[in-house]
Amino acid sequence: MRSRSRFPVYVLIFVVYALIMAIYVKFTSPNEVPIAYRGTPADPASFFTPDQLRRSETLNAVRNWIFFLSAPWEWLIYLFLLASGTARRWKEALERTRLPLYVRFPAFVLLVNGFAFLLYLPLRVFSYSMSRSYGISTQPALGWIRDKLVEFGVSFVTSLAVTAVFFWMLSRRGRWWFKLWLLSIPFTLFMMYVQPVVIDPLYNDFHRLTDPALESEILDLAARADIHADRVYEVDMSAKTNAMNAYVNGIGSSLRIVLWDTTLQKMTEPEILLIMAHEMGHYVMHHLEWSAAGAVGSSLVMLGVGSWLYERIVRARGERWGIRSRSDLAALPLLLLLLSALSFVSLPVSNAVSRQAEASADRYAMKLLNSSEGAVTMYQKMAAASLSDVNPPLLVRWFRDTHPSDMERMIDAMRFKPDPSAGR
């Protein structure tokens, strides 16, 4: 009973936090720029309609509130499984079936993941409905549900593999967390390799760029960047969103440069070439390789800190939560809780590194083209299409933004000076 009585305290803390964050996102008004940039192309009032400004203010407050609630909501789910004894009872019920471990283990992982998925679903539905009502998402409900089920399936398979290795390591002596980190290195590289060729096609249709003339322009640009590419990929996103994007992912032979079809429909050729040059900048400056190295390095820190916390929490609260040893399967919610919490806490660092990489790719693109033509209008179009906040508040920038703000990117583009001696 003592462990159960603590859960209302967790709920109260969450409610207070939610109220504080609601006040924060309400009073950090979006789309306000410093006085020096008011009236310039970086000022949203110069390219947003009054209705878009109003809708952006409301939508971004809700978006940010959902974001800051998401991780603590997930923690609350795992704390409930632990403090209420639900995880322990599920494990004991499966043990009473006398089924072999290779059946009980995935069943337990499925129960925990499925429970978390269902209780987290209201936030996802709320986010989707807001995006849909504001004209950002165009995806029908059935398609959205399908994507979420695919996402759950991929997450479950990945979680099952990682959890199996984790608890096997815990059952052995020695520095289990360091051995786990060594095993995580090939796993991280493998996931980066298969993401564009196996996982991404589960959600969207990819094909060769439908405009041969534009593809030729892009491939010529790639040759100037000393990138040996023979195709550019287009992904059909217009059935899901009005937002625009392009990206590069994968490593080695699985690397892909991808354009959303919404970008092709709404951008001019100079704008598209600038986007492609930006993605080429990531390739030329080896950002994907650095990203892989960063993931490996950060996992070492997270596993080291996480193992220290895990061992101490199991000793302090294991008996109350029905965790009989450090390798007891009932500790799975604790593992997921620590993983989520450490990931959230590390966001300011990983996001700062990402913003630096994105800013350097922006500069590379303008230098490669020796022009910033189309840059400002490109950022304006992308901001208007997604009703984004061009100058987000501090906490949003720290925890949520992986790119420089639209305002910063437009200012950099306006300051760019072409090299008169360089040919385009």
Side-chain angles (χ1 to χ4, degrees):
M1 292 298 294
R2 188 177 177 185
S3 63
R4 292 180 187 176
S5 65
R6 290 182 176 271
F7 187 70
V9 176
Y10 303 146
V11 175
L12 180 60
I13 293 171
F14 175 81
V15 170
V16 172
Y17 167 80
L19 290 173
I20 292 172
M21 294 314 302
I23 294 170
Y24 176 78
V25 299
K26 179 176 175 58
F27 290 101
T28 50
S29 301
N31 288 320
E32 290 188 358
V33 297
I35 294 176
Y37 300 109
R38 290 179 187 172
T40 70
D43 184 353
S46 69
F47 59 91
F48 273 21
T49 66
D51 181 61
Q52 285 176 321
L53 282 172
R54 177 185 58 79
R55 287 159 60 83
S56 174
E57 181 175 353
T58 303
L59 179 60
N60 281 292
V62 175
R63 278 171 171 164
N64 293 333
W65 188 65
I66 292 173
F67 170 81
F68 283 111
L69 255 62
S70 295
W73 180 266
E74 185 179 15
W75 305 342
L76 201 63
I77 294 170
Y78 298 136
L79 281 169
F80 171 78
L81 290 175
L82 292 166
S84 68
T86 301
R88 171 183 55 80
R89 287 193 293 271
W90 284 347
K91 187 203 69 171
E92 291 173 351
L94 286 168
E95 287 174 343
R96 286 194 295 271
T97 65
R98 302 186 179 228
L99 291 168
L101 182 60
Y102 63 80
V103 175
R104 287 186 282 115
F105 181 82
F108 182 79
V109 175
L110 180 61
L111 280 170
V112 172
N113 281 265
F115 184 81
F117 175 81
L118 289 175
L119 266 68
Y120 194 83
L121 195 58
L123 278 183
R124 289 194 174 103
V125 171
F126 183 38
S127 180
Y128 165 73
S129 63
M130 288 295 297
S131 183
R132 179 86 173 168
S133 64
Y134 277 77
I136 311 301
S137 175
T138 60
Q139 187 176 24
L142 287 178
W144 181 83
I145 292 170
R146 176 203 170 274
D147 279 357
K148 293 305 162 190
L149 290 175
V150 171
E151 180 184 328
F152 173 74
V154 172
S155 174
F156 169 68
V157 171
T158 305
S159 176
L160 183 61
V162 172
T163 303
V165 174
F166 178 83
F167 280 102
W168 179 72
M169 285 289 185
L170 279 174
S171 66
R172 304 175 69 84
R173 296 183 179 181
R175 300 172 67 184
W176 59 268
W177 62 271
F178 186 74
K179 296 174 184 176
L180 191 63
W181 174 72
L182 291 176
L183 285 175
S184 76
I185 297 174
F187 179 78
T188 299
L189 298 177
F190 172 75
M191 291 302 295
M192 291 186 70
Y193 183 87
V194 302
Q195 180 74 37
V197 294
V198 176
I199 298 176
D200 289 350
L202 296 174
Y203 299 94
N204 302 299
D205 293 326
F206 292 79
H207 50 81
R208 191 164 189 160
L209 196 62
T210 52
D211 186 338
L214 178 61
E215 183 181 45
S216 178
E217 287 275 344
I218 294 171
L219 292 176
D220 287 345
L221 187 64
R224 286 168 52 187
D226 199 27
I227 298 173
H228 304 288
D230 60 358
R231 68 176 58 190
V232 179
Y233 288 90
E234 179 181 337
V235 56
D236 296 331
M237 293 296 296
S238 53
K240 294 184 177 182
T241 182
N242 283 317
M244 294 171 276
N245 200 7
Y247 63 89
V248 56
N249 68 347
I251 54 175
S253 61
S254 76
L255 185 137
R256 286 184 174 183
I257 297 176
V258 181
L259 264 172
W260 288 15
D261 63 342
T262 50
T263 306
L264 291 167
Q265 294 163 7
K266 300 174 183 179
M267 295 284 189
T268 64
E269 184 173 305
E271 292 166 345
I272 293 172
L273 290 178
L274 199 61
I275 292 173
M276 288 291 92
H278 170 98
E279 301 305 332
M280 292 171 192
H282 286 307
Y283 178 88
V284 170
M285 292 182 284
H286 305 287
H287 287 162
L288 295 176
E289 290 87 346
W290 281 112
S291 176
V296 169
S298 63
S299 67
L300 175 62
V301 176
M302 289 181 65
L303 279 169
V305 174
S307 67
W308 183 85
L309 290 170
Y310 181 85
E311 298 271 8
R312 279 151 184 78
I313 293 172
V314 168
R315 283 200 295 266
R317 295 193 176 271
E319 185 177 350
R320 296 179 183 178
W321 290 345
I323 302 171
R324 293 175 295 195
S325 69
R326 71 179 191 180
S327 60
D328 191 333
L329 194 56
L332 176 58
L334 175 59
L335 165 64
L336 297 174
L337 170 62
L338 290 174
L339 178 62
S340 176
L342 290 172
S343 297
F344 183 79
V345 170
S346 69
L347 282 176
V349 175
S350 61
N351 286 347
V353 172
S354 177
R355 287 194 298 271
Q356 289 295 320
E358 296 296 337
S360 63
D362 282 346
R363 291 190 291 270
Y364 176 89
M366 290 184 283
K367 288 180 181 178
L368 179 63
L369 293 165
N370 196 34
S371 172
S372 62
E373 179 188 357
V376 172
T377 54
M378 173 185 68
Y379 298 132
Q380 289 176 339
K381 288 178 181 179
M382 295 179 77
S386 58
L387 295 176
S388 64
D389 184 356
V390 302
N391 186 29
L394 185 63
L395 289 181
V396 174
R397 192 171 303 178
W398 282 358
F399 283 91
R400 193 175 182 195
D401 286 357
T402 58
H403 289 62
S405 69
D406 291 329
M407 181 192 74
E408 292 169 327
R409 300 177 90 174
M410 284 187 270
I411 291 170
D412 285 346
M414 289 188 289
R415 289 175 175 170
F416 178 78
K417 302 295 183 185
D419 181 358
S421 64
R424 286 188 58 188

